[in-house]
């Protein structure tokens, strides 16, 4: 959801439901449970269950009633815009950072946010040829061995390209939007 989609958009209105991993107890394989940090929301411990690589769906008919209720009552989580905003507070101060922070507070669309090998992200996702401001620092941040995060945020005629290194400060560049 972006600010263009809904009047009154804010971080508070864009919070998302908490997510939990899915788990099955082998003795009752037809019932799906929600995995918390150390046990299911209904109290099953790790050696009693099998964890799955998908999320618990509290709307599914096979959902454990207790896990369904606990998942529905769990506190909501910050939306992607708020999470990226908070990460960018560590970036170098300047007009580009302030423009991006303001765009995120308005619900700017995050077109892409992924992590992976820096060289691969630079080659396939960064769209370096579109950058009009901040190119040298961004290219240097993508010229490292190892993994980084990369986000593309669209707002108005601009696209912000953000590199989120594992260690160090986020770097921001401005590019022409895809339009």
């Amino acid at each position: 959801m972006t600010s263009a989609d809904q009047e009154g958009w804010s971080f508070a209105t864009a919070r998302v439901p908490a997510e939990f991993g899915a788990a099955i107890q082998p003795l009752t394989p037809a019932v799906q449970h929600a995995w918390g940090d150390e046990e299911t929301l209904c109290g099953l411990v790790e050696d009693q269950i099998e964890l799955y690589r998908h999320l618990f769906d509290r709307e599914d008919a096979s959902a454990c009633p207790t896990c369904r209720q606990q998942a529905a009552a769990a506190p909501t989580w910050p939306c992607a815009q708020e999470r990226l905003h908070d990460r960018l507070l560590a970036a170098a101060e300047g007009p580009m950072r302030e423009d991006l922070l303001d765009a995120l507070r308005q619900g700017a669309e995050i077109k892409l946010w992924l992590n992976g090998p820096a060289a691969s992200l630079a080659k396939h996702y960064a769209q370096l040829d579109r950058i009009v401001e901040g190119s040298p620092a961004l290219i240097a941040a993508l010229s490292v061995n190892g993994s980084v995060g990369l986000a593309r945020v669209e707002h108005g005629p601009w696209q912000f390209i953000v590199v989120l290194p594992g260690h160090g400060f986020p770097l921001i560049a401005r590019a022409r939007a895809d339009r």
Side-chain angles (χ1 to χ4, degrees), residues 83-117:
R83 292 191 317 269
L84 184 56
H85 176 279
D86 291 351
R87 297 266 318 262
L88 290 172
L89 293 174
E93 292 184 14
M96 199 165 16
R97 181 187 91 151
E98 296 311 312
D99 288 348
L100 179 51
L101 291 173
D102 185 54
L104 290 167
R105 285 189 290 267
Q106 294 176 44
E109 185 175 2
I110 299 174
K111 290 289 213 177
L112 174 83
W113 188 357
L114 48 85
N115 294 301

PDB file of all heavy atoms in Angstrom, residues 83-117:
ATOM      1  N   ARG A  83      10.265  -0.194   8.578  1.00  0.00           N
ATOM      2  CA  ARG A  83      11.522  -0.922   8.831  1.00  0.00           C
ATOM      3  C   ARG A  83      12.680  -0.302   8.049  1.00  0.00           C
ATOM      4  O   ARG A  83      13.773  -0.101   8.586  1.00  0.00           O
ATOM      5  CB  ARG A  83      11.360  -2.403   8.492  1.00  0.00           C
ATOM      6  CG  ARG A  83      10.428  -3.137   9.440  1.00  0.00           C
ATOM      7  CD  ARG A  83      10.466  -4.654   9.283  1.00  0.00           C
ATOM      8  NE  ARG A  83      10.473  -5.150   7.924  1.00  0.00           N
ATOM      9  CZ  ARG A  83       9.385  -5.451   7.215  1.00  0.00           C
ATOM     10  NH1 ARG A  83       8.183  -5.284   7.725  1.00  0.00           N
ATOM     11  NH2 ARG A  83       9.505  -5.924   5.989  1.00  0.00           N
ATOM     12  N   LEU A  84      12.441   0.031   6.767  1.00  0.00           N
ATOM     13  CA  LEU A  84      13.502   0.654   5.975  1.00  0.00           C
ATOM     14  C   LEU A  84      13.807   2.048   6.505  1.00  0.00           C
ATOM     15  O   LEU A  84      14.984   2.431   6.621  1.00  0.00           O
ATOM     16  CB  LEU A  84      13.108   0.705   4.493  1.00  0.00           C
ATOM     17  CG  LEU A  84      14.170   1.236   3.535  1.00  0.00           C
ATOM     18  CD1 LEU A  84      15.470   0.445   3.641  1.00  0.00           C
ATOM     19  CD2 LEU A  84      13.644   1.218   2.104  1.00  0.00           C
ATOM     20  N   HIS A  85      12.799   2.809   6.849  1.00  0.00           N
ATOM     21  CA  HIS A  85      12.979   4.143   7.430  1.00  0.00           C
ATOM     22  C   HIS A  85      13.916   4.072   8.627  1.00  0.00           C
ATOM     23  O   HIS A  85      14.877   4.843   8.747  1.00  0.00           O
ATOM     24  CB  HIS A  85      11.610   4.710   7.838  1.00  0.00           C
ATOM     25  CG  HIS A  85      11.659   6.022   8.533  1.00  0.00           C
ATOM     26  ND1 HIS A  85      11.942   6.145   9.883  1.00  0.00           N
ATOM     27  CD2 HIS A  85      11.456   7.283   8.080  1.00  0.00           C
ATOM     28  CE1 HIS A  85      11.919   7.411  10.220  1.00  0.00           C
ATOM     29  NE2 HIS A  85      11.615   8.132   9.146  1.00  0.00           N
ATOM     30  N   ASP A  86      13.648   3.136   9.534  1.00  0.00           N
ATOM     31  CA  ASP A  86      14.460   3.030  10.743  1.00  0.00           C
ATOM     32  C   ASP A  86      15.897   2.630  10.434  1.00  0.00           C
ATOM     33  O   ASP A  86      16.826   3.104  11.086  1.00  0.00           O
ATOM     34  CB  ASP A  86      13.810   2.046  11.726  1.00  0.00           C
ATOM     35  CG  ASP A  86      12.505   2.600  12.306  1.00  0.00           C
ATOM     36  OD1 ASP A  86      12.193   3.792  12.085  1.00  0.00           O
ATOM     37  OD2 ASP A  86      11.789   1.822  12.967  1.00  0.00           O
ATOM     38  N   ARG A  87      16.098   1.794   9.425  1.00  0.00           N
ATOM     39  CA  ARG A  87      17.470   1.434   9.032  1.00  0.00           C
ATOM     40  C   ARG A  87      18.200   2.642   8.446  1.00  0.00           C
ATOM     41  O   ARG A  87      19.403   2.799   8.627  1.00  0.00           O
ATOM     42  CB  ARG A  87      17.458   0.306   7.988  1.00  0.00           C
ATOM     43  CG  ARG A  87      16.870  -1.006   8.427  1.00  0.00           C
ATOM     44  CD  ARG A  87      17.827  -2.039   8.963  1.00  0.00           C
ATOM     45  NE  ARG A  87      19.074  -2.255   8.318  1.00  0.00           N
ATOM     46  CZ  ARG A  87      19.342  -3.231   7.438  1.00  0.00           C
ATOM     47  NH1 ARG A  87      18.403  -4.079   7.090  1.00  0.00           N
ATOM     48  NH2 ARG A  87      20.548  -3.358   6.934  1.00  0.00           N
ATOM     49  N   LEU A  88      17.474   3.504   7.730  1.00  0.00           N
ATOM     50  CA  LEU A  88      18.094   4.645   7.063  1.00  0.00           C
ATOM     51  C   LEU A  88      18.467   5.778   8.009  1.00  0.00           C
ATOM     52  O   LEU A  88      19.210   6.682   7.620  1.00  0.00           O
ATOM     53  CB  LEU A  88      17.172   5.175   5.972  1.00  0.00           C
ATOM     54  CG  LEU A  88      17.027   4.245   4.771  1.00  0.00           C
ATOM     55  CD1 LEU A  88      15.942   4.753   3.844  1.00  0.00           C
ATOM     56  CD2 LEU A  88      18.350   4.087   4.054  1.00  0.00           C
ATOM     57  N   LEU A  89      18.008   5.732   9.233  1.00  0.00           N
ATOM     58  CA  LEU A  89      18.390   6.765  10.197  1.00  0.00           C
ATOM     59  C   LEU A  89      19.894   6.750  10.454  1.00  0.00           C
ATOM     60  O   LEU A  89      20.467   7.765  10.862  1.00  0.00           O
ATOM     61  CB  LEU A  89      17.610   6.587  11.508  1.00  0.00           C
ATOM     62  CG  LEU A  89      16.105   6.838  11.394  1.00  0.00           C
ATOM     63  CD1 LEU A  89      15.416   6.502  12.711  1.00  0.00           C
ATOM     64  CD2 LEU A  89      15.812   8.265  10.957  1.00  0.00           C
ATOM     65  N   ALA A  90      20.542   5.622  10.169  1.00  0.00           N
ATOM     66  CA  ALA A  90      21.989   5.505  10.339  1.00  0.00           C
ATOM     67  C   ALA A  90      22.768   5.990   9.115  1.00  0.00           C
ATOM     68  O   ALA A  90      23.993   6.091   9.164  1.00  0.00           O
ATOM     69  CB  ALA A  90      22.369   4.053  10.646  1.00  0.00           C
ATOM     70  N   ALA A  91      22.091   6.300   8.016  1.00  0.00           N
ATOM     71  CA  ALA A  91      22.773   6.771   6.805  1.00  0.00           C
ATOM     72  C   ALA A  91      23.293   8.193   7.016  1.00  0.00           C
ATOM     73  O   ALA A  91      22.815   8.924   7.883  1.00  0.00           O
ATOM     74  CB  ALA A  91      21.806   6.739   5.616  1.00  0.00           C
ATOM     75  N   ALA A  92      24.268   8.576   6.196  1.00  0.00           N
ATOM     76  CA  ALA A  92      24.816   9.935   6.272  1.00  0.00           C
ATOM     77  C   ALA A  92      23.708  10.955   6.051  1.00  0.00           C
ATOM     78  O   ALA A  92      22.863  10.796   5.167  1.00  0.00           O
ATOM     79  CB  ALA A  92      25.913  10.110   5.223  1.00  0.00           C
ATOM     80  N   GLU A  93      23.725  11.988   6.871  1.00  0.00           N
ATOM     81  CA  GLU A  93      22.718  13.037   6.745  1.00  0.00           C
ATOM     82  C   GLU A  93      22.910  13.794   5.443  1.00  0.00           C
ATOM     83  O   GLU A  93      24.013  13.913   4.937  1.00  0.00           O
ATOM     84  CB  GLU A  93      22.808  13.997   7.926  1.00  0.00           C
ATOM     85  CG  GLU A  93      22.396  13.363   9.236  1.00  0.00           C
ATOM     86  CD  GLU A  93      22.395  14.352  10.390  1.00  0.00           C
ATOM     87  OE1 GLU A  93      22.451  15.574  10.145  1.00  0.00           O
ATOM     88  OE2 GLU A  93      22.339  13.888  11.534  1.00  0.00           O
ATOM     89  N   GLY A  94      21.809  14.281   4.913  1.00  0.00           N
ATOM     90  CA  GLY A  94      21.855  15.075   3.698  1.00  0.00           C
ATOM     91  C   GLY A  94      20.488  15.129   3.060  1.00  0.00           C
ATOM     92  O   GLY A  94      19.553  14.443   3.479  1.00  0.00           O
ATOM     93  N   PRO A  95      20.352  15.950   2.022  1.00  0.00           N
ATOM     94  CA  PRO A  95      19.053  16.136   1.383  1.00  0.00           C
ATOM     95  C   PRO A  95      18.462  14.847   0.799  1.00  0.00           C
ATOM     96  O   PRO A  95      17.261  14.631   0.861  1.00  0.00           O
ATOM     97  CB  PRO A  95      19.323  17.149   0.272  1.00  0.00           C
ATOM     98  CG  PRO A  95      20.633  17.771   0.598  1.00  0.00           C
ATOM     99  CD  PRO A  95      21.372  16.812   1.465  1.00  0.00           C
ATOM    100  N   MET A  96      19.300  13.986   0.222  1.00  0.00           N
ATOM    101  CA  MET A  96      18.787  12.760  -0.374  1.00  0.00           C
ATOM    102  C   MET A  96      18.214  11.830   0.702  1.00  0.00           C
ATOM    103  O   MET A  96      17.144  11.255   0.524  1.00  0.00           O
ATOM    104  CB  MET A  96      19.891  12.043  -1.167  1.00  0.00           C
ATOM    105  CG  MET A  96      19.328  11.071  -2.150  1.00  0.00           C
ATOM    106  SD  MET A  96      20.464  10.460  -3.427  1.00  0.00           S
ATOM    107  CE  MET A  96      22.086  10.848  -2.885  1.00  0.00           C
ATOM    108  N   ARG A  97      18.904  11.713   1.819  1.00  0.00           N
ATOM    109  CA  ARG A  97      18.392  10.894   2.922  1.00  0.00           C
ATOM    110  C   ARG A  97      17.072  11.467   3.424  1.00  0.00           C
ATOM    111  O   ARG A  97      16.115  10.725   3.638  1.00  0.00           O
ATOM    112  CB  ARG A  97      19.388  10.820   4.075  1.00  0.00           C
ATOM    113  CG  ARG A  97      18.868   9.930   5.224  1.00  0.00           C
ATOM    114  CD  ARG A  97      19.755   9.989   6.426  1.00  0.00           C
ATOM    115  NE  ARG A  97      19.286  11.052   7.305  1.00  0.00           N
ATOM    116  CZ  ARG A  97      19.436  11.047   8.620  1.00  0.00           C
ATOM    117  NH1 ARG A  97      20.061  10.053   9.206  1.00  0.00           N
ATOM    118  NH2 ARG A  97      18.988  12.037   9.345  1.00  0.00           N
ATOM    119  N   GLU A  98      17.005  12.778   3.596  1.00  0.00           N
ATOM    120  CA  GLU A  98      15.777  13.400   4.097  1.00  0.00           C
ATOM    121  C   GLU A  98      14.625  13.220   3.111  1.00  0.00           C
ATOM    122  O   GLU A  98      13.492  12.960   3.524  1.00  0.00           O
ATOM    123  CB  GLU A  98      16.006  14.880   4.408  1.00  0.00           C
ATOM    124  CG  GLU A  98      17.002  15.104   5.536  1.00  0.00           C
ATOM    125  CD  GLU A  98      16.727  14.264   6.781  1.00  0.00           C
ATOM    126  OE1 GLU A  98      15.570  14.232   7.251  1.00  0.00           O
ATOM    127  OE2 GLU A  98      17.679  13.622   7.279  1.00  0.00           O
ATOM    128  N   ASP A  99      14.906  13.318   1.808  1.00  0.00           N
ATOM    129  CA  ASP A  99      13.867  13.090   0.801  1.00  0.00           C
ATOM    130  C   ASP A  99      13.342  11.660   0.877  1.00  0.00           C
ATOM    131  O   ASP A  99      12.138  11.422   0.794  1.00  0.00           O
ATOM    132  CB  ASP A  99      14.402  13.356  -0.609  1.00  0.00           C
ATOM    133  CG  ASP A  99      14.636  14.828  -0.903  1.00  0.00           C
ATOM    134  OD1 ASP A  99      14.184  15.686  -0.103  1.00  0.00           O
ATOM    135  OD2 ASP A  99      15.278  15.113  -1.939  1.00  0.00           O
ATOM    136  N   LEU A 100      14.251  10.705   1.030  1.00  0.00           N
ATOM    137  CA  LEU A 100      13.835   9.305   1.104  1.00  0.00           C
ATOM    138  C   LEU A 100      13.076   9.021   2.395  1.00  0.00           C
ATOM    139  O   LEU A 100      12.046   8.339   2.382  1.00  0.00           O
ATOM    140  CB  LEU A 100      15.045   8.375   0.961  1.00  0.00           C
ATOM    141  CG  LEU A 100      14.749   6.881   1.051  1.00  0.00           C
ATOM    142  CD1 LEU A 100      13.624   6.450   0.113  1.00  0.00           C
ATOM    143  CD2 LEU A 100      16.022   6.084   0.780  1.00  0.00           C
ATOM    144  N   LEU A 101      13.550   9.542   3.513  1.00  0.00           N
ATOM    145  CA  LEU A 101      12.830   9.345   4.779  1.00  0.00           C
ATOM    146  C   LEU A 101      11.420   9.919   4.687  1.00  0.00           C
ATOM    147  O   LEU A 101      10.445   9.287   5.117  1.00  0.00           O
ATOM    148  CB  LEU A 101      13.593   9.979   5.946  1.00  0.00           C
ATOM    149  CG  LEU A 101      14.903   9.300   6.344  1.00  0.00           C
ATOM    150  CD1 LEU A 101      15.626  10.128   7.403  1.00  0.00           C
ATOM    151  CD2 LEU A 101      14.664   7.880   6.829  1.00  0.00           C
ATOM    152  N   ASP A 102      11.301  11.107   4.097  1.00  0.00           N
ATOM    153  CA  ASP A 102       9.988  11.733   3.934  1.00  0.00           C
ATOM    154  C   ASP A 102       9.100  10.886   3.018  1.00  0.00           C
ATOM    155  O   ASP A 102       7.913  10.689   3.295  1.00  0.00           O
ATOM    156  CB  ASP A 102      10.146  13.150   3.388  1.00  0.00           C
ATOM    157  CG  ASP A 102       8.826  13.883   3.317  1.00  0.00           C
ATOM    158  OD1 ASP A 102       8.120  13.951   4.350  1.00  0.00           O
ATOM    159  OD2 ASP A 102       8.489  14.374   2.224  1.00  0.00           O
ATOM    160  N   ALA A 103       9.669  10.382   1.937  1.00  0.00           N
ATOM    161  CA  ALA A 103       8.906   9.534   1.008  1.00  0.00           C
ATOM    162  C   ALA A 103       8.386   8.283   1.719  1.00  0.00           C
ATOM    163  O   ALA A 103       7.233   7.883   1.533  1.00  0.00           O
ATOM    164  CB  ALA A 103       9.779   9.156  -0.189  1.00  0.00           C
ATOM    165  N   LEU A 104       9.230   7.665   2.540  1.00  0.00           N
ATOM    166  CA  LEU A 104       8.804   6.466   3.269  1.00  0.00           C
ATOM    167  C   LEU A 104       7.710   6.789   4.278  1.00  0.00           C
ATOM    168  O   LEU A 104       6.773   6.008   4.456  1.00  0.00           O
ATOM    169  CB  LEU A 104      10.002   5.805   3.951  1.00  0.00           C
ATOM    170  CG  LEU A 104      10.994   5.152   2.992  1.00  0.00           C
ATOM    171  CD1 LEU A 104      12.293   4.810   3.710  1.00  0.00           C
ATOM    172  CD2 LEU A 104      10.387   3.928   2.333  1.00  0.00           C
ATOM    173  N   ARG A 105       7.799   7.951   4.917  1.00  0.00           N
ATOM    174  CA  ARG A 105       6.746   8.362   5.862  1.00  0.00           C
ATOM    175  C   ARG A 105       5.418   8.600   5.147  1.00  0.00           C
ATOM    176  O   ARG A 105       4.361   8.533   5.760  1.00  0.00           O
ATOM    177  CB  ARG A 105       7.167   9.615   6.636  1.00  0.00           C
ATOM    178  CG  ARG A 105       8.203   9.334   7.714  1.00  0.00           C
ATOM    179  CD  ARG A 105       8.434  10.543   8.603  1.00  0.00           C
ATOM    180  NE  ARG A 105       9.111  11.620   7.922  1.00  0.00           N
ATOM    181  CZ  ARG A 105      10.426  11.813   7.914  1.00  0.00           C
ATOM    182  NH1 ARG A 105      11.227  10.991   8.576  1.00  0.00           N
ATOM    183  NH2 ARG A 105      10.954  12.827   7.272  1.00  0.00           N
ATOM    184  N   GLN A 106       5.475   8.851   3.845  1.00  0.00           N
ATOM    185  CA  GLN A 106       4.258   9.041   3.045  1.00  0.00           C
ATOM    186  C   GLN A 106       3.773   7.734   2.424  1.00  0.00           C
ATOM    187  O   GLN A 106       2.766   7.720   1.723  1.00  0.00           O
ATOM    188  CB  GLN A 106       4.524  10.052   1.928  1.00  0.00           C
ATOM    189  CG  GLN A 106       4.800  11.443   2.414  1.00  0.00           C
ATOM    190  CD  GLN A 106       5.149  12.350   1.253  1.00  0.00           C
ATOM    191  OE1 GLN A 106       4.512  12.315   0.201  1.00  0.00           O
ATOM    192  NE2 GLN A 106       6.182  13.167   1.432  1.00  0.00           N
ATOM    193  N   GLY A 107       4.508   6.655   2.635  1.00  0.00           N
ATOM    194  CA  GLY A 107       4.097   5.361   2.100  1.00  0.00           C
ATOM    195  C   GLY A 107       4.640   5.048   0.726  1.00  0.00           C
ATOM    196  O   GLY A 107       4.037   4.268  -0.014  1.00  0.00           O
ATOM    197  N   ALA A 108       5.790   5.615   0.364  1.00  0.00           N
ATOM    198  CA  ALA A 108       6.384   5.352  -0.950  1.00  0.00           C
ATOM    199  C   ALA A 108       6.498   3.851  -1.182  1.00  0.00           C
ATOM    200  O   ALA A 108       6.744   3.077  -0.256  1.00  0.00           O
ATOM    201  CB  ALA A 108       7.762   6.003  -1.044  1.00  0.00           C
ATOM    202  N   GLU A 109       6.335   3.456  -2.432  1.00  0.00           N
ATOM    203  CA  GLU A 109       6.355   2.031  -2.770  1.00  0.00           C
ATOM    204  C   GLU A 109       7.782   1.489  -2.789  1.00  0.00           C
ATOM    205  O   GLU A 109       8.655   2.023  -3.479  1.00  0.00           O
ATOM    206  CB  GLU A 109       5.704   1.803  -4.127  1.00  0.00           C
ATOM    207  CG  GLU A 109       5.596   0.345  -4.474  1.00  0.00           C
ATOM    208  CD  GLU A 109       4.849   0.088  -5.769  1.00  0.00           C
ATOM    209  OE1 GLU A 109       4.440   1.068  -6.438  1.00  0.00           O
ATOM    210  OE2 GLU A 109       4.692  -1.084  -6.110  1.00  0.00           O
ATOM    211  N   ILE A 110       7.992   0.412  -2.040  1.00  0.00           N
ATOM    212  CA  ILE A 110       9.277  -0.294  -2.081  1.00  0.00           C
ATOM    213  C   ILE A 110       9.133  -1.345  -3.175  1.00  0.00           C
ATOM    214  O   ILE A 110       8.433  -2.332  -3.008  1.00  0.00           O
ATOM    215  CB  ILE A 110       9.606  -0.930  -0.716  1.00  0.00           C
ATOM    216  CG1 ILE A 110       9.711   0.158   0.348  1.00  0.00           C
ATOM    217  CG2 ILE A 110      10.899  -1.744  -0.821  1.00  0.00           C
ATOM    218  CD1 ILE A 110       9.885  -0.368   1.765  1.00  0.00           C
ATOM    219  N   LYS A 111       9.765  -1.085  -4.302  1.00  0.00           N
ATOM    220  CA  LYS A 111       9.653  -1.962  -5.459  1.00  0.00           C
ATOM    221  C   LYS A 111      10.441  -3.256  -5.279  1.00  0.00           C
ATOM    222  O   LYS A 111      10.096  -4.276  -5.870  1.00  0.00           O
ATOM    223  CB  LYS A 111      10.161  -1.255  -6.720  1.00  0.00           C
ATOM    224  CG  LYS A 111       9.283  -0.146  -7.193  1.00  0.00           C
ATOM    225  CD  LYS A 111       8.021  -0.704  -7.762  1.00  0.00           C
ATOM    226  CE  LYS A 111       7.504   0.132  -8.889  1.00  0.00           C
ATOM    227  NZ  LYS A 111       6.317  -0.448  -9.481  1.00  0.00           N
ATOM    228  N   LEU A 112      11.510  -3.173  -4.494  1.00  0.00           N
ATOM    229  CA  LEU A 112      12.398  -4.326  -4.331  1.00  0.00           C
ATOM    230  C   LEU A 112      13.139  -4.163  -3.029  1.00  0.00           C
ATOM    231  O   LEU A 112      13.549  -3.049  -2.677  1.00  0.00           O
ATOM    232  CB  LEU A 112      13.401  -4.348  -5.500  1.00  0.00           C
ATOM    233  CG  LEU A 112      14.508  -5.382  -5.464  1.00  0.00           C
ATOM    234  CD1 LEU A 112      13.969  -6.701  -6.011  1.00  0.00           C
ATOM    235  CD2 LEU A 112      15.678  -4.932  -6.312  1.00  0.00           C
ATOM    236  N   TRP A 113      13.283  -5.253  -2.300  1.00  0.00           N
ATOM    237  CA  TRP A 113      14.147  -5.248  -1.107  1.00  0.00           C
ATOM    238  C   TRP A 113      14.595  -6.677  -0.915  1.00  0.00           C
ATOM    239  O   TRP A 113      13.810  -7.554  -0.580  1.00  0.00           O
ATOM    240  CB  TRP A 113      13.403  -4.727   0.110  1.00  0.00           C
ATOM    241  CG  TRP A 113      14.260  -4.505   1.325  1.00  0.00           C
ATOM    242  CD1 TRP A 113      15.599  -4.775   1.472  1.00  0.00           C
ATOM    243  CD2 TRP A 113      13.842  -3.960   2.572  1.00  0.00           C
ATOM    244  NE1 TRP A 113      16.032  -4.424   2.709  1.00  0.00           N
ATOM    245  CE2 TRP A 113      14.970  -3.923   3.421  1.00  0.00           C
ATOM    246  CE3 TRP A 113      12.636  -3.514   3.068  1.00  0.00           C
ATOM    247  CZ2 TRP A 113      14.914  -3.456   4.728  1.00  0.00           C
ATOM    248  CZ3 TRP A 113      12.587  -3.054   4.369  1.00  0.00           C
ATOM    249  CH2 TRP A 113      13.712  -3.015   5.187  1.00  0.00           C
ATOM    250  N   LEU A 114      15.874  -6.910  -1.186  1.00  0.00           N
ATOM    251  CA  LEU A 114      16.405  -8.259  -1.054  1.00  0.00           C
ATOM    252  C   LEU A 114      17.847  -8.222  -0.586  1.00  0.00           C
ATOM    253  O   LEU A 114      18.473  -7.172  -0.562  1.00  0.00           O
ATOM    254  CB  LEU A 114      16.265  -9.034  -2.368  1.00  0.00           C
ATOM    255  CG  LEU A 114      16.712  -8.368  -3.664  1.00  0.00           C
ATOM    256  CD1 LEU A 114      18.182  -8.547  -3.892  1.00  0.00           C
ATOM    257  CD2 LEU A 114      15.936  -8.942  -4.810  1.00  0.00           C
ATOM    258  N   ASN A 115      18.333  -9.379  -0.202  1.00  0.00           N
ATOM    259  CA  ASN A 115      19.718  -9.536   0.242  1.00  0.00           C
ATOM    260  C   ASN A 115      20.372 -10.581  -0.634  1.00  0.00           C
ATOM    261  O   ASN A 115      19.709 -11.515  -1.088  1.00  0.00           O
ATOM    262  CB  ASN A 115      19.773  -9.998   1.703  1.00  0.00           C
ATOM    263  CG  ASN A 115      19.240  -8.956   2.639  1.00  0.00           C
ATOM    264  OD1 ASN A 115      19.743  -7.844   2.681  1.00  0.00           O
ATOM    265  ND2 ASN A 115      18.208  -9.302   3.387  1.00  0.00           N
ATOM    266  N   GLY A 116      21.673 -10.415  -0.838  1.00  0.00           N
ATOM    267  CA  GLY A 116      22.391 -11.402  -1.628  1.00  0.00           C
ATOM    268  C   GLY A 116      23.810 -10.942  -1.907  1.00  0.00           C
ATOM    269  O   GLY A 116      24.258  -9.905  -1.399  1.00  0.00           O
ATOM    270  N   PRO A 117      24.520 -11.717  -2.735  1.00  0.00           N
ATOM    271  CA  PRO A 117      25.894 -11.340  -3.088  1.00  0.00           C
ATOM    272  C   PRO A 117      25.914  -9.977  -3.763  1.00  0.00           C
ATOM    273  O   PRO A 117      25.144  -9.725  -4.700  1.00  0.00           O
ATOM    274  CB  PRO A 117      26.324 -12.441  -4.062  1.00  0.00           C
ATOM    275  CG  PRO A 117      25.366 -13.572  -3.838  1.00  0.00           C
ATOM    276  CD  PRO A 117      24.085 -12.956  -3.383  1.00  0.00           C
TER     277      PRO A 117
END
